[in-house]
Amino acid sequence: MEVSRPQQTLAAPVRFEGVGIHLGQPARIEVLPAPVDSGRLFVSQGQEIPALHERVSSVERCTVLSAGEVSVSTVEHLLAACAGLQLDNLRILVDGPEVPILDGSAMPFVKAFLAAGVVCQERPARRHVLTRPLFVHDKNALVLALPATETQLEYSLHYQHPMITYQQVTHTSTPESFLSGLAPARTYAFMEEVEGLLERGLARGGDLSNALVIRSDGYTSALRFPDEPVRHKCLDLVALGSGSGS
Ligand SMILES: [Zn+2]
């Protein structure tokens, strides 16, 4: 049985600055501590956008949250870091249309959050309990959720590609396993996909420092894990725990 834990927030504000991977524009955010029960809240152009499933307006290549005319793109790696470290209450000020991609993983967020400090708050965290099996599927993707006494994620990846055919990872939902097993895994794309993304106006801020590109005969940079792609997919799945994945 999972032990009930207190809600948590940051001990001090943290800033991130970089480029948005899809639009290629400068991206700045500031993550501030927030009171109990306030949840994770994005603020852009004066508009508050709670990080909740009902605010997801697009999941094409990245997760976009919207309220009215205002949107924030590529929230998933930041939200995975928040969920992975069990940071429940945060106010995230966004300057620009996207969250900075940094190195394409959740690690820069995690390191900065840990450096700032994680503090407990005076109320217990809310627990979501599944009472029956659920599944959703779309095209060739399927998510199956089963009731359990503790949260464990399993991700299986299938491609018809010379470098990846099948990868599978199992993740036990603790901050320690998130830190060592998922947070460093970078977002990835197949070389043959990259030109198509650029033609569609996506991945304009992508380069070899913030994404792993998979060629037919290898990778464009050294792998952080032998099975880094499936670990990144599982990282995106962790973000779902907070309301929002690519
Ligand atoms: Zn991702």
Side-chain angles (χ1 to χ4, degrees):
M1 194 62 147
E2 282 181 85
V3 179
S4 152
R5 63 169 180 83
Q7 293 183 32
Q8 299 190 118
T9 189
L10 286 173
V14 185
R15 287 170 190 259
F16 300 93
E17 193 164 346
V19 65
I21 192 169
H22 292 301
L23 302 171
Q25 295 180 9
R28 282 180 292 270
I29 61 168
E30 186 172 10
V31 185
L32 307 172
V36 287
D37 294 330
S38 56
R40 301 170 189 131
L41 191 70
F42 287 86
V43 184
S44 180
Q45 301 172 48
Q47 175 72 54
E48 294 189 341
I49 312 174
L52 298 173
H53 295 93
E54 53 264 36
R55 296 295 181 180
V56 175
S57 58
S58 170
V59 290
E60 189 186 3
R61 301 300 303 182
C62 70
T63 301
V64 183
L65 299 176
S66 301
E69 300 291 302
V70 181
S71 296
V72 182
S73 299
T74 321
V75 297
E76 59 271 24
H77 306 153
L78 169 64
L79 289 177
C82 299
L85 293 182
Q86 300 175 338
L87 285 162
D88 306 288
N89 302 306
L90 296 170
R91 189 171 178 88
I92 305 163
L93 309 182
V94 183
D95 180 11
E98 262 186 275
V99 171
I101 188 68
L102 305 177
D103 76 346
S105 78
M107 206 56 181
F109 297 115
V110 166
K111 281 186 179 169
F113 291 157
L114 291 176
V118 175
V119 292
C120 292
Q121 296 174 287
E122 59 271 25
R123 281 193 210 153
R126 290 185 193 137
R127 296 187 61 211
H128 300 278
V129 178
L130 201 62
T131 54
R132 61 185 173 87
L134 292 174
F135 80 96
V136 290
H137 66 100
D138 184 29
K139 298 173 189 155
N140 56 357
L142 168 74
V143 178
L144 171 65
L146 302 171
T149 52
E150 61 181 19
T151 304
Q152 182 173 301
L153 303 178
E154 282 184 32
Y155 203 110
S156 304
L157 199 66
H158 303 259
Y159 288 113
Q160 290 185 321
H161 187 277
M163 294 305 297
I164 305 181
T165 50
Y166 175 76
Q167 293 184 346
Q168 190 266 343
V169 71
T170 300
H171 170 66
T172 303
S173 195
T174 63
E176 294 73 23
S177 68
F178 179 75
L179 193 60
S180 61
L182 300 186
R186 293 162 295 171
T187 193
Y188 64 92
F190 293 98
M191 187 61 96
E192 54 269 30
E193 274 183 324
V194 173
E195 283 188 358
L197 289 173
L198 289 172
E199 279 171 13
R200 284 155 57 207
L202 295 169
R204 286 183 208 167
D207 64 42
L208 300 183
S209 71
N210 57 29
L212 180 67
V213 179
I214 307 170
R215 301 189 308 250
S216 59
D217 61 348
Y219 298 95
T220 51
S221 59
L223 290 172
R224 294 180 178 179
F225 301 96
D227 55 353
E228 187 170 353
V230 74
R231 288 175 186 267
H232 184 80
K233 286 294 189 187
C234 197
L235 184 162
D236 287 333
L237 189 58
V238 171
L240 282 169
S242 61
S244 127
S246 179

